[in-house]
Amino acid sequence: MSDDLILVVDDDVQVADFTARFLLPKIGYRAITARTGAQARETLDCQNISLILLDLELPDMSGLDLLHHLIADGRRIPTIMITGHGSEKIPVEAFRLGVQDYLGKPVDEQALIEAVHRGLANTHLKRDNELLAAELNKQISWLTTYSQIGKSVTSSLDTDEVLRRIVAAGVALTGAQEGFLALLEWATGQLYLRAVKNIDERVSKSIRIPVEDSLIGNVVQSASPIRVTQILDDNLLKVSTGFLVHSLLYVPIISKDRVIGVLAVDNPTEQRSFNDEDEARLTDLADYAAVAIENASLYEQAQQEIVERKRIEQALRESEERYALAVQGANDGLWDWDLRTNQVYYSPRWKEILGLSVDEIGHHPDEWYNRVHLEDIERLKLDISAHMAGLTPHFENEHRIRHRDGEYIWVQCRALAVREQDGVAYRMAGSLTDITDRKNAEQRLLHDAFHDTLTGLPNRALFLDRLRLAVERSKRRKDFTYAVLFLDLDRFKDINDTLGHMLGDQLLVIIGKMLGSGLRST
């Protein structure tokens, strides 16, 4: 049984109970019901709902009203709307409010099952994107902090200020309550506190820590980090500064293969342990501290090392940017456009969507542009230019593109630009998603809204629209005339009563074809 929970909102007790207690569990999903819009909102407040099956007509409000309330509450839950209403305006408004599927009554069981699968797939994709976005934001936070520390290391000779920033970054990135940086004084063989965070500086200036200290001494001697945790309040750790703490993390500061100090963080009151990730972050910051100390004493000799470090940081930043953009834009095929060289990387999946082999096309933008439908190319280029110019926060466009078999398919393209400090875009990367099925479904829905499902003839909604146009035209033009022709099928009820409705339907289809063959398509 899936962990997903589906909410069935329908005032028809039999339909709701059948769907929630029999149909959905049969295909592996848990479901609960709500009879009214108010009850549905209460359920959403206390349950983690993955998908809503929503009836249009409810006792206290319409399904569309409920969707308006959910949007106002900041909820965007995948929804399948079910209704017997024939108005063509309802589907348009429903899709505008975020409805993913629209099913008419009576609902076909297989169609409902397929719609549920699609809706939950979108829910899972949204959750995955949220998790990836959270991880990406975390990495961006790390990279931003590293970038700021790196800039201060390479641009400032105020070592004390740089080291204070490093300690503050260590406390922030590990979630610690306090931290300090201690350097080894070679003449006395003791460590003194050079920079602190959330520790009284007046006290810290007088503290001297012997290398023989059981914890810091182990770090200096082994040149390896140490993590210790003691949760019980009656047996707390006494650290080098003389205070009692629940947990601590010490990492060595190593310069030219020699330990010159220790970067430390701890939690005096919070019962929280440090992990491998915290150790990696603090180790990175200790490396920055070593560079800052080297720069202060050997500035000229360290220039080459700083240049090399900046090159490595740039390569790492570009790699992280590629990863970040791929995660944000990934849906199907990926592309990465270097605007400086005007070369585009098309992923194997990008080419596969168009029916192309891996080595079949080059890296020029025209490999993409020349395949776009003539009616869509101008809009595509305008959207790309607007994003490159900074007029839009992200790029998104739907267009038709030629498949290898000569047919056009619909694709959705999303991307983000990477910019220099002056705002000029130098790179753009994103994804290409095949949305042909969705576009075909939209066209079918629009056709079904204005045509009879049995005969395929225009329905009452389209007839009334054409009649209204004829009336309005006759008001504007005195010479314009029109007529309404009414056709009736005599004794049709006798056919249904004697031969059955199925044969009656066949007769209607045949007559519909006869009418269609004798009239112009317009």
Side-chain angles (χ1 to χ4, degrees), residues 332-384:
D332 267 329
L334 299 180
W335 54 274
D336 189 349
W337 189 353
D338 188 338
L339 301 176
R340 292 169 295 194
T341 63
N342 202 32
Q343 293 289 296
V344 185
Y345 163 77
Y346 302 104
S347 73
R349 179 56 182 151
W350 191 100
K351 300 171 185 177
E352 182 182 347
I353 290 174
L354 303 185
L356 304 171
S357 63
V358 174
D359 301 323
E360 193 165 351
I361 64 173
H363 300 281
H364 198 273
D366 286 343
E367 299 285 5
W368 176 9
Y369 284 161
N370 290 342
R371 289 176 167 82
V372 177
H373 197 283
L374 291 177
E375 295 177 4
D376 300 336
I377 185 64
E378 184 176 359
R379 179 75 260 175
L380 172 63
K381 291 183 177 180
L382 285 174
D383 287 348
I384 290 177

Side-chain angles (χ1 to χ4, degrees), residues 95-138:
F95 283 117
R96 189 184 69 82
L97 294 174
V99 169
Q100 294 188 349
D101 266 308
Y102 188 91
L103 303 178
K105 287 185 177 181
V107 178
D108 178 74
E109 181 176 325
Q110 185 59 36
L112 178 60
I113 292 173
E114 293 174 357
V116 168
H117 288 325
R118 287 194 300 270
L120 289 175
N122 289 334
T123 298
H124 298 158
L125 180 60
K126 179 181 177 182
R127 290 176 181 172
D128 291 343
N129 287 340
E130 290 174 351
L131 291 175
L132 290 172
E135 180 63 24
L136 177 62
N137 289 333
K138 189 176 182 181

Side-chain angles (χ1 to χ4, degrees), residues 178-230:
E178 62 182 29
F180 64 87
L181 186 150
L183 295 180
L184 188 60
E185 196 173 61
W186 301 105
T188 62
Q190 293 183 324
L191 291 136
Y192 65 98
L193 271 58
R194 181 70 178 269
V196 297
K197 176 66 176 177
N198 297 336
I199 297 176
D200 192 333
E201 289 192 1
R202 293 174 297 178
V203 176
S204 67
K205 289 179 180 178
S206 62
I207 293 178
R208 291 294 183 271
I209 306 170
V211 175
E212 292 77 15
D213 178 276
S214 59
L215 292 175
I216 284 191
N218 288 341
V219 177
V220 174
Q221 297 296 331
S222 66
S224 300
I226 283 182
R227 274 185 282 159
V228 184
T229 301
Q230 180 59 54

Side-chain angles (χ1 to χ4, degrees), residues 25-44:
K26 185 179 71 172
I27 59 175
Y29 297 112
R30 298 180 300 123
I32 56 178
T33 62
R35 309 300 186 207
T36 66
Q39 186 179 356
R41 295 180 69 184
E42 293 174 0
T43 302
L44 290 168

Side-chain angles (χ1 to χ4, degrees), residues 197-327:
K197 176 66 176 177
N198 297 336
I199 297 176
D200 192 333
E201 289 192 1
R202 293 174 297 178
V203 176
S204 67
K205 289 179 180 178
S206 62
I207 293 178
R208 291 294 183 271
I209 306 170
V211 175
E212 292 77 15
D213 178 276
S214 59
L215 292 175
I216 284 191
N218 288 341
V219 177
V220 174
Q221 297 296 331
S222 66
S224 300
I226 283 182
R227 274 185 282 159
V228 184
T229 301
Q230 180 59 54
I231 300 301
L232 299 177
D233 291 338
D234 58 354
N235 190 22
L236 296 180
L237 300 165
K238 186 175 182 180
V239 293
S240 304
T241 56
F243 303 113
L244 297 176
V245 301
H246 283 282
S247 57
L248 59 86
L249 170 59
Y250 292 169
V251 299
I253 302 173
I254 302 175
S255 175
K256 299 179 181 178
D257 299 325
R258 181 174 63 174
V259 177
I260 62 172
V262 174
L263 182 57
V265 292
D266 57 58
N267 291 310
T269 60
E270 185 176 325
Q271 295 184 353
R272 175 188 175 277
S273 301
F274 296 102
N275 54 36
D276 292 341
E277 193 172 81
D278 297 327
E279 184 176 307
R281 302 285 80 78
L282 209 61
T283 300
D284 290 340
L285 292 173
D287 292 340
Y288 280 113
V291 173
I293 294 167
E294 292 172 4
N295 287 349
S297 59
L298 299 171
Y299 182 78
E300 291 298 328
Q301 294 87 336
Q303 288 302 299
Q304 187 59 41
E305 293 183 19
I306 294 173
V307 170
E308 179 64 13
R309 179 175 290 274
K310 289 177 67 177
R311 185 192 67 79
I312 294 174
E313 288 176 355
Q314 178 64 25
L316 175 62
R317 183 161 55 250
E318 290 182 357
S319 176
E320 292 292 341
E321 287 171 350
R322 181 186 294 272
Y323 168 76
L325 291 169
V327 170

